[in-house]
Amino acid sequence: MHQPPTTYTVNGRKVRELRKEAGAEVAELAETAGISRRYLSHIENGTRTRMRPARYQRLRQALGANESELLAPPETPPEGST
């Protein structure tokens, strides 16, 4: 059985880009997504990069983003480090 991830690594720049495209202020999006302004600001600035599934889903829905649009690309190990 497939287990959902315990946290999602979020691309803060993409969150900010989508918020601005929607013409929303940080406080406005945070309220719509049910998270604090400070938390959203930390996500956008990269201070925080991980979100629990419920918060991630609410933010994604508030932005009208698809399932993986807000996710950070997977980290790839430097060449020769295998």
Side-chain angles (χ1 to χ4, degrees):
M1 181 184 335
H2 175 62
Q3 293 287 353
T6 56
T7 60
Y8 289 91
T9 303
V10 181
N11 180 341
R13 280 188 254 158
K14 185 66 174 178
V15 172
R16 176 180 284 141
E17 177 185 315
L18 290 173
R19 175 182 60 78
K20 287 184 174 188
E21 284 177 10
E25 296 292 327
V26 172
E28 191 178 357
L29 177 59
E31 184 175 336
T32 302
I35 59 179
S36 73
R37 288 182 330 203
R38 185 174 185 186
Y39 184 82
L40 179 56
S41 180
H42 284 263
I43 290 292
E44 287 188 357
N45 292 324
T47 305
R48 293 191 76 129
T49 58
R50 295 192 167 286
M51 295 182 82
R52 294 210 181 262
R55 286 181 177 171
Y56 171 76
Q57 295 301 332
R58 289 193 313 261
L59 179 61
R60 187 178 65 78
Q61 289 173 346
L63 286 168
N66 67 39
E67 187 66 32
S68 62
E69 196 169 3
L70 302 181
L71 297 178
E75 292 183 18
T76 55
E79 288 186 37
S81 66
T82 55

